C-alpha cells in the first residue's frame, strides 16, 4: 500500500464577510496522525477556520495545500472527499432515514455501488450500537445519536482528515460522553483530527497540539501540557483562568 501525503499547509489565510474580517492571516500546518484542538473565545474565527479548510467558506485570500497540491475551485470536490466534517447541529437530512443519509454521499459521488454502501453503513452503525436505527428518521433520534450518525456519515468516504466543529455543544451531558468516546476511538486508531471544542479536559486528553485563536489570528500553540501549565501569552493566561 503506497503512502499517501495527507499534509495540510495553510498560508496567510484571510476570510471576510463584507467589511467584517474574521480571519486575519493564519499560517498553519497539519501532519498525518496529529490531533489538533482549536481553542479560543466565541467569535474568534475558530469555526470559520474549519469551514475554510473544507471550503464550505471560500477563503478571501491565502493558499491551502493538501497532499502537496494547491487547493482550487477546480479540485476542491475531489479533495473534500478526504477532509470529512462534523457539525455542531448534525445537519442530517430530515426526510431521509439514517441509512439514506449515510448512503447519500458515496452514491452521489459514484464511489460505491448500492450494495457496497449498504454494507458499509450497516458495519459502521453496528460498531456504534445504532444498527437498529438504520430505518429511523433523524427526528426520532436523541441529540447524541444524531451526532454519532453524523460522525459515521463523515467516515463513509474514509477521509484522511476529520474536522469537528464543536461536536458536543448542542448535547446533554450523557450524550457528550457517548460522542467523545467515539472521537477518542478514532484518535486511538490514528485518525488525523482537528476539533473545535470547549471541553477542556477532553482537549488535554486527546490533543497532540493546542492552537489558540483570537480575533482571527493564531495567538499561541503548543503541546497540551505546556499550553495548559505554562501559557506564554497574557491572552491565553486570561482565557484559561476563566475556563479551568
Amino acid at each position: 500500500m503506497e503512502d499517501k501525503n495527507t499534509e495540510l499547509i495553510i498560508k496567510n489565510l484571510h476570510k471576510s464577510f463584507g467589511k467584517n474580517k474574521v480571519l486575519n492571516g493564519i499560517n498553519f500546518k497539519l501532519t498525518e496522525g496529529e490531533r489538533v484542538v482549536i481553542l479560543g473565545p466565541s467569535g474568534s474565527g475558530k469555526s470559520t477556520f474549519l469551514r475554510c479548510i473544507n471550503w464550505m467558506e471560500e477563503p478571501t485570500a491565502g493558499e491551502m495545500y493538501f497532499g502537496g497540491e494547491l487547493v482550487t475551485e477546480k479540485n476542491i470536490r475531489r479533495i473534500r472527499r478526504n477532509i470529512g466534517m462534523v457539525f455542531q447541529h448534525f445537519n442530517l437530512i430530515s426526510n431521509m432515514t439514517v441509512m439514506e443519509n449515510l448512503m447519500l454521499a458515496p452514491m452521489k459521488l459514484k464511489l460505491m455501488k448500492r450494495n457496497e454502501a449498504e454494507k458499509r453503513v450497516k458495519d459502521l452503525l453496528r460498531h456504534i450500537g445504532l444498527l437498529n436505527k438504520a430505518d429511523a428518521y433523524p427526528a426520532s433520534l436523541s441529540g447524541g445519536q444524531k451526532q454519532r450518525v453524523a460522525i459515521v456519515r463523515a467516515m463513509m468516504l474514509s477521509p484522511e482528515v476529520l474536522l469537528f466543529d464543536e461536536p458536543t455543544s448542542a448535547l446533554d451531558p450523557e450524550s457528550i460522553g457517548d460522542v467523545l468516546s467515539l472521537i477518542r476511538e478514532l484518535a486511538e486508531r490514528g485518525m488525523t483530527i482537528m476539533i473545535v471544542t470547549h471541553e477542556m479536559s477532553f482537549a488535554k486528553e486527546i490533543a497532540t497540539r493546542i492552537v489558540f485563536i483570537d480575533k482571527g489570528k493564531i495567538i499561541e500553540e503548543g503541546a497540551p501540557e505546556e499550553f495548559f501549565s505554562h501559557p506564554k501569552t497574557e491572552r491565553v493566561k486570561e482565557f484559561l483562568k476563566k475556563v479551568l
Side-chain angles (χ1 to χ4, degrees):
M1 188 176 158
E2 63 174 307
D3 287 339
K4 287 185 181 178
N5 176 4
T6 60
E7 189 173 69
L8 174 71
I9 296 172
I10 291 168
K11 297 181 177 179
N12 198 28
L13 178 68
H14 289 257
K15 178 62 184 177
S16 298
F17 296 96
K19 292 183 179 178
N20 181 21
K21 290 185 178 180
V22 180
L23 299 178
N24 293 297
I26 285 184
N27 294 291
F28 176 82
K29 182 175 172 182
L30 179 74
T31 55
E32 187 177 349
E34 273 199 292
R35 301 184 298 277
V36 174
V37 172
I38 312 286
L39 299 179
S42 295
S44 58
K46 306 183 298 294
S47 293
T48 300
F49 179 37
L50 283 200
R51 291 173 72 85
C52 282
I53 290 174
N54 200 288
W55 268 48
M56 302 195 76
E57 300 289 354
E58 189 175 342
T60 305
E63 294 179 337
M64 184 168 99
Y65 295 84
F66 185 73
E69 183 179 4
L70 178 66
V71 179
T72 66
E73 276 185 58
K74 290 181 179 174
N75 63 15
I76 186 56
R77 284 189 69 175
R78 173 169 52 80
I79 285 173
R80 200 183 271 144
R81 293 177 200 169
N82 284 311
I83 305 177
M85 182 117 181
V86 178
F87 304 90
Q88 182 176 349
H89 292 293
F90 329 126
N91 289 20
L92 298 175
I93 299 168
S94 61
N95 63 349
M96 288 185 167
T97 65
V98 167
M99 173 74 79
E100 289 165 342
N101 265 280
L102 297 179
M103 287 175 60
L104 182 63
M107 295 288 291
K108 197 171 181 182
L109 295 168
K110 297 183 168 62
L111 297 175
M112 290 181 196
K113 292 176 180 166
R114 174 170 287 277
N115 61 336
E116 291 175 306
E118 281 184 6
K119 183 180 184 306
R120 181 153 173 78
V121 168
K122 286 176 180 174
D123 287 346
L124 288 169
L125 287 178
R126 186 180 294 112
H127 185 72
I128 64 167
L130 291 177
L131 183 58
N132 63 328
K133 300 292 185 183
D135 297 321
Y137 287 89
S140 70
L141 304 181
S142 70
Q145 289 171 335
K146 287 177 190 172
Q147 193 59 292
R148 281 148 65 206
V149 168
I151 293 171
V152 165
R153 177 181 56 190
M155 294 300 297
M156 280 295 293
L157 300 180
S158 301
E160 304 294 335
V161 178
L162 263 185
L163 310 176
F164 293 90
D165 185 13
E166 299 193 32
T168 60
S169 64
L171 302 179
D172 62 84
E174 188 176 13
S175 298
I176 287 172
D178 290 339
V179 170
L180 292 184
S181 68
L182 181 52
I183 298 171
R184 189 180 292 114
E185 183 190 327
L186 293 171
E188 286 166 357
R189 280 164 41 191
M191 189 84 205
T192 307
I193 288 170
M194 285 180 68
I195 179 168
V196 173
T197 184
H198 295 290
E199 302 286 332
M200 293 298 148
S201 58
F202 185 68
K204 286 181 190 177
E205 174 199 341
I206 197 176
T208 54
R209 179 162 45 121
I210 304 280
V211 172
F212 184 87
I213 293 180
D214 192 24
K215 295 178 182 170
K217 292 184 177 180
I218 293 178
I219 304 294
E220 189 173 332
E221 59 183 306
E225 54 277 12
E226 186 70 18
F227 180 89
F228 285 106
S229 303
H230 307 289
K232 299 182 184 72
T233 60
E234 287 305 316
R235 181 66 190 94
V236 171
K237 287 176 188 171
E238 178 193 333
F239 176 80
L240 291 177
K241 269 184 198 170
K242 292 176 181 172
V243 299
L244 291 179

